[in-house]
Amino acid sequence: MQWYFVAALLTILTSSQGILTTLSQTNGRYMYDYATIPFLAEVFKLVVSSVLLWRECQVSPSTRMTTEWKSIMGNLKIVTTGILFRLFLRRKLSNLQWMAIILLAIGTTTSQIKGCGEASCDSLFSAPIQGYMLGILSACLSASAGVYTEFLMKKNNDSLYWQNVQLYTFGAIFNMARLVVDDFRGGFENGPWWHRIFDGYSITTWMVVLNLGSTGLLVSWLMKYADNIVKVYSTSMAMLLTMVLSVYLFNFKPTLQLFLGIFICMMSLHMYFAPPNMLVDLPSTTKAAPESLKEVCVGRRTDS
């Protein structure tokens, strides 16, 4: 299926996003205005979607154009996505799939928790109750946004590219508003944002912009033609891939928790997408052949 390829590509791009962002720093500092990154990424997505929409309209003029404690709490959105996925989109998940989603949340969390040697185990759950409540709220809002986006993408037969044009137009406007607000707060000390938008940019910075823009386009494709759960698996696997690559790029020291988390997530991936007959050995039932039944009936009549 096409979505397998798109999901794998999304995993790679999402993983490389954090790495490219780190590599774009100079002496641990951003030499450019980081707020320009999402703005340019939205513009990139808008331009690409507009070009694809134009080409689609050339091929099919009748296209409809109608408008219509951080790691634990963060990974909670995996489970809340599944719950909202079931409640609002009416998608039924099997018991094995529910178990796989919970395992995915456990695996990604396990890979990020530090050992007791690095931080006191007593302080692991010592955050104020407000922190946990905000973490749960953040997970629910994130999952709600994803599920509602999928609902909007699938509720009608509008072209994906037309939907993207609408979505990324608003994205570009709001990111531009952020740049304007920053200028007013700074008293235009460095001049208006459009005069310095490319200041400090390097090849790596442009790769960050293109990577972020391409990631957004892939996510919209998955929302339209696959579903939220596929996207959740892609981003979760990307997080683990980033950790593995960081071992070689940034001298990140792998931990036992990382290996356990990867193993659990791979089990979860297999449980969710594998056919049930690959996961459960069903006992084979043997049925008596019809011919043998006829023979028994004939034999009894003869005896009588």
Side-chain angles (χ1 to χ4, degrees), residues 197-217:
I197 187 171
F198 302 126
D199 289 354
Y201 268 52
S202 63
I203 294 179
T204 307
T205 311
W206 281 110
M207 291 178 65
V208 173
V209 173
L210 295 177
N211 190 85
L212 183 59
S214 301
T215 299
L217 293 172

Side-chain angles (χ1 to χ4, degrees), residues 142-166:
S142 176
S144 300
V147 171
Y148 186 64
T149 301
E150 180 181 346
F151 169 75
L152 290 178
M153 300 289 281
K154 292 180 176 177
K155 74 172 185 176
N156 53 43
N157 295 323
D158 285 350
S159 163
L160 169 65
Y161 308 126
W162 171 236
Q163 291 176 322
N164 280 346
V165 166
Q166 299 175 75

Side-chain angles (χ1 to χ4, degrees), residues 5-269:
F5 172 75
V6 175
L9 188 57
L10 176 61
T11 298
I12 295 172
L13 291 181
T14 304
S15 174
S16 60
Q17 182 63 32
I19 294 174
L20 289 172
T21 302
T22 302
L23 292 175
S24 69
Q25 297 178 353
T26 302
N27 297 325
R29 296 176 59 246
Y30 295 113
M31 305 306 294
Y32 54 91
D33 186 355
Y34 192 80
T36 60
I37 296 292
F39 170 71
L40 292 175
E42 292 297 316
V43 172
F44 169 75
K45 291 184 283 186
L46 177 60
V47 171
V48 171
S49 299
S50 299
V51 171
L52 292 176
L53 175 63
W54 177 79
R55 289 190 60 185
E56 184 180 65
C57 291
Q58 296 298 313
V59 175
S60 177
S62 61
T63 302
R64 294 178 59 188
M65 298 292 288
T66 58
T67 58
E68 305 277 320
W69 142 84
K70 185 176 177 181
S71 64
I72 299 178
M73 293 298 122
N75 291 314
L76 183 63
K77 67 183 179 184
I78 297 173
V79 179
T80 54
T81 296
I83 296 174
L84 295 174
F85 189 74
R86 172 68 180 89
L87 292 177
F88 294 104
L89 297 183
R90 306 296 182 185
R91 306 287 179 81
K92 185 175 181 180
L93 301 176
S94 67
N95 292 335
L96 280 175
Q97 288 178 322
W98 278 114
M99 292 171 62
I101 291 174
I102 294 173
L103 273 180
L104 180 64
I106 293 174
T108 51
T109 302
T110 301
S111 66
Q112 297 175 69
I113 294 180
K114 295 181 179 180
C116 293
E118 302 177 38
S120 173
C121 292
D122 296 333
S123 63
L124 187 58
F125 297 101
S126 61
I129 187 64
Q130 295 89 338
Y132 296 115
M133 296 302 295
L134 289 174
I136 295 174
L137 177 62
S138 174
C140 292
L141 290 176
S142 176
S144 300
V147 171
Y148 186 64
T149 301
E150 180 181 346
F151 169 75
L152 290 178
M153 300 289 281
K154 292 180 176 177
K155 74 172 185 176
N156 53 43
N157 295 323
D158 285 350
S159 163
L160 169 65
Y161 308 126
W162 171 236
Q163 291 176 322
N164 280 346
V165 166
Q166 299 175 75
L167 178 65
Y168 299 137
T169 296
F170 280 102
I173 291 173
F174 280 105
N175 278 280
M176 183 173 62
R178 157 71 190 279
L179 294 172
V180 173
V181 170
D182 287 347
D183 281 346
F184 275 100
R185 286 180 176 177
F188 291 90
E189 182 179 355
N190 299 319
W193 63 270
W194 57 86
H195 286 175
R196 50 182 170 80
I197 187 171
F198 302 126
D199 289 354
Y201 268 52
S202 63
I203 294 179
T204 307
T205 311
W206 281 110
M207 291 178 65
V208 173
V209 173
L210 295 177
N211 190 85
L212 183 59
S214 301
T215 299
L217 293 172
L218 292 177
V219 169
S220 68
W221 193 96
L222 286 179
M223 291 293 191
K224 183 74 171 179
Y225 300 113
D227 55 52
N228 253 284
I229 303 298
V230 176
K231 179 245 183 185
V232 165
Y233 268 95
S234 297
T235 53
S236 298
M237 295 301 165
M239 179 179 60
L240 298 176
L241 179 59
T242 300
M243 292 183 179
V244 173
L245 294 176
S246 297
V247 173
Y248 301 98
L249 295 175
F250 307 117
N251 295 322
F252 173 76
K253 293 183 179 179
T255 62
L256 176 61
Q257 291 91 323
L258 174 60
F259 292 111
L260 289 175
I262 293 175
F263 180 72
I264 294 173
C265 288
M266 295 306 296
M267 289 178 56
S268 169
L269 183 68

